[in-house]
């Protein structure tokens, strides 16, 4: 079944289930101060994705990495300074892309409504539109986030969910953000978009230790045929030149094929394969992998994205509205 956008009334029902989002943020927050804000973001995103369809995944990932460190406050966008190493320069964030696109959209908004729309809201809207433009679902974004002034590489290294994590570890990290096990398996579906550098998964191809203590083996939880194909691309754990699709054959389209790959033991990361080693996440993977419940996944993904977008937000008089997303005012 082809993925199709969820109609706005249905998405509004999803939003109403998230009382936290409704309580802190507001649909139409900029209706009086910058009424064309969402339209400006959408029009610029259409141009960005038309020119570079592969940016949909990275822009979605930027939002994820922002929300898991200090909440959704655009701290991931801040540049390092002489006295501080920022989140974007933490090891897990070295491969993040799309910063220039965020600045491009923010500049358009500043030209129309100076000092009104936060970088945190810009990034949240861009991630939603990236999914929509990749043929995924639409969901309403409650707005009113403000921008943080602090960004720490150390915090990013300690708080981001690792690609090598198992379900107990990932569930603990998600729980610390108010997200549950279902959110974990649903948001993992974002791996339908984008690519990854070899160092993020090549240890599965070369550095796994077997039961007898032998080292340098292929991770047994990885399909052997798939592992052979990956080894042809990634010659070593330090190979930074090659990219692999996280959802082979469909990495520019938001769909449910990711779950079919995971069900066949072809998830790229250890964290993908780990979903088959927990009863709850395994059941969800196998259910969506049938291709009979695409609409269910669309609604689930929309709900989890709304929930994640409310994590640790700054509102009211907290934080600031940055003029440039890469630096505090």
């Amino acid at each position: 079944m082809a993925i199709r956008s969820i109609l706005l009334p249905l998405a509004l029902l999803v939003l109403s289930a998230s009382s936290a989002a409704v309580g802190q943020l507001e649909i139409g927050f900029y209706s009086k101060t910058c009424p064309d804000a969402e339209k400006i973001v959408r029009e610029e995103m259409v141009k960005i994705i038309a020119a570079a369809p592969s940016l949909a995944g990275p822009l979605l990932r930027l939002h994820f990495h922002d929300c898991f460190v200090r909440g959704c406050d655009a701290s991931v966008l801040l540049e390092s300074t002489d006295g501080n190493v920022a989140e974007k320069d933490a090891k897990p964030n070295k491969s993040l892309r799309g910063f220039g696109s965020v600045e491009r959209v923010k500049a358009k908004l500043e030209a129309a409504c100076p000092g009104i729309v936060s970088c945190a809201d810009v990034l949240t809207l861009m991630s939603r539109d990236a999914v929509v433009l990749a043929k995924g679902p639409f969901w309403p974004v409650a707005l009113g986030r403000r921008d943080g002034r602090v960004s720490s590489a150390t915090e990013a290294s300690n708080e981001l969910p690792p690609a090598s994590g198992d379900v107990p570890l990932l569930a603990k990290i998600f729980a610390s953000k108010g997200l549950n096990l279902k959110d974990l398996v649903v948001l993992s579906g974002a791996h339908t978009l984008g690519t990854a550098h070899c160092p993020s998964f090549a240890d599965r191809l070369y550095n796994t230790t077997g039961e007898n203590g032998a080292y340098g083996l292929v991770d047994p939880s990885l399909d052997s045929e798939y592992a052979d194909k990956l080894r042809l691309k990634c010659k070593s754990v330090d190979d930074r030149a090659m990219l692999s699709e996280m959802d082979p054959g469909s990495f520019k389209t938001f769909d449910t094929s990711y779950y079919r790959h995971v069900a066949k033991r072809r998830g790229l990361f250890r964290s993908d394969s780990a979903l088959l080693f927990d009863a709850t996440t395994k059941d969800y993977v196998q259910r969506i992998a049938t291709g009979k419940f695409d609409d269910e996944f669309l609604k689930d993904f929309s709900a989890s994205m709304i929930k994640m977008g409310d994590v640790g937000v700054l509102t009211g008089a907290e934080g600031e509205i940055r003029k440039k997303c890469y630096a505090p005012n």
Side-chain angles (χ1 to χ4, degrees):
M1 182 191 304
I3 296 292
R4 61 181 185 272
S5 295
I6 297 177
L7 295 176
L8 183 59
L10 178 58
L12 286 169
L13 289 175
V14 173
L15 179 67
S16 67
S18 177
S19 58
V22 173
Q24 295 183 27
L25 305 173
E26 183 184 340
I27 296 291
F29 180 82
Y30 298 111
S31 60
K32 293 182 180 178
T33 55
C34 191
D36 289 332
E38 290 197 47
K39 180 184 177 184
I40 291 169
V41 174
R42 188 181 311 113
E43 288 178 349
E44 207 59 27
M45 277 295 293
V46 167
K47 297 174 187 174
I48 289 168
I49 299 302
S54 62
L55 265 180
L59 288 170
L60 180 56
R61 186 172 176 234
L62 260 184
H63 181 48
F64 272 76
H65 282 232
D66 182 41
C67 292
F68 270 86
V69 184
R70 291 188 163 265
C72 309
D73 67 344
S75 54
V76 74
L77 303 176
L78 289 172
E79 296 276 6
S80 294
T81 62
D82 290 341
N84 178 68
V85 182
E87 290 173 32
K88 68 184 297 185
D89 290 318
K91 187 176 180 180
N93 285 339
K94 288 288 190 181
S95 59
L96 289 178
R97 296 192 297 132
F99 296 100
S101 295
V102 178
E103 293 297 339
R104 170 178 166 175
V105 173
K106 173 63 169 172
K108 287 284 185 179
L109 288 163
E110 283 297 302
C113 317
I116 298 296
V117 183
S118 70
C119 295
D121 277 345
V122 170
L123 185 53
T124 306
L125 287 169
M126 288 179 71
S127 67
R128 189 273 309 277
D129 290 349
V131 170
V132 172
L133 292 168
K135 301 182 181 179
F138 173 94
W139 61 92
V141 174
L143 301 168
R145 296 166 191 77
R146 289 173 66 84
D147 300 323
R149 298 186 178 95
V150 177
S151 184
S152 164
T154 300
E155 290 181 1
S157 295
N158 291 337
E159 296 182 29
L160 286 169
S164 59
D166 59 13
V167 169
L169 173 62
L170 297 174
K172 183 178 179 180
I173 295 171
F174 270 62
S176 73
K177 309 301 176 186
L179 302 171
N180 58 33
L181 199 56
K182 183 173 183 180
D183 296 315
L184 166 59
V185 67
V186 169
L187 292 174
S188 293
H191 287 172
T192 184
L193 295 175
T195 56
H197 289 275
C198 295
S200 62
F201 62 86
D203 64 308
R204 305 185 70 194
L205 307 176
Y206 299 102
N207 286 0
T208 300
T209 302
E211 293 181 3
N212 62 355
Y215 185 70
L217 305 177
V218 174
D219 182 351
S221 68
L222 194 61
D223 174 73
S224 59
E225 184 179 331
Y226 182 49
D228 288 342
K229 290 181 180 179
L230 290 175
R231 285 167 73 104
L232 289 175
K233 284 189 173 183
C234 296
K235 303 301 183 183
S236 75
V237 292
D238 298 318
D239 185 348
R240 298 181 181 277
M242 294 301 297
L243 288 170
S244 289
E245 299 173 7
M246 292 192 286
D247 185 0
S250 182
F251 77 104
K252 295 178 185 177
T253 304
F254 191 95
D255 55 27
T256 56
S257 61
Y258 161 80
Y259 292 101
R260 286 184 278 284
H261 287 301
V262 173
K264 294 175 182 176
R265 298 191 301 121
R266 294 187 172 195
L268 188 60
F269 304 120
R270 287 188 190 271
S271 59
D272 296 324
S273 296
L275 298 176
L276 295 179
F277 291 88
D278 174 90
T280 300
T281 56
K282 180 181 180 180
D283 284 350
Y284 191 88
V285 167
Q286 293 182 331
R287 177 179 174 82
I288 303 304
T290 64
K292 299 177 181 178
F293 303 98
D294 284 5
D295 284 349
E296 177 183 326
F297 168 66
L298 291 180
K299 286 183 279 188
D300 289 344
F301 190 81
S302 298
S304 289
M305 285 296 291
I306 289 169
K307 195 173 172 183
M308 187 187 75
D310 193 51
V311 170
V313 294
L314 302 174
T315 57
E318 299 173 310
E320 65 182 10
I321 305 298
R322 285 183 222 143
K323 293 180 175 63
K324 301 282 187 180
C325 291
Y326 59 79
N329 293 339

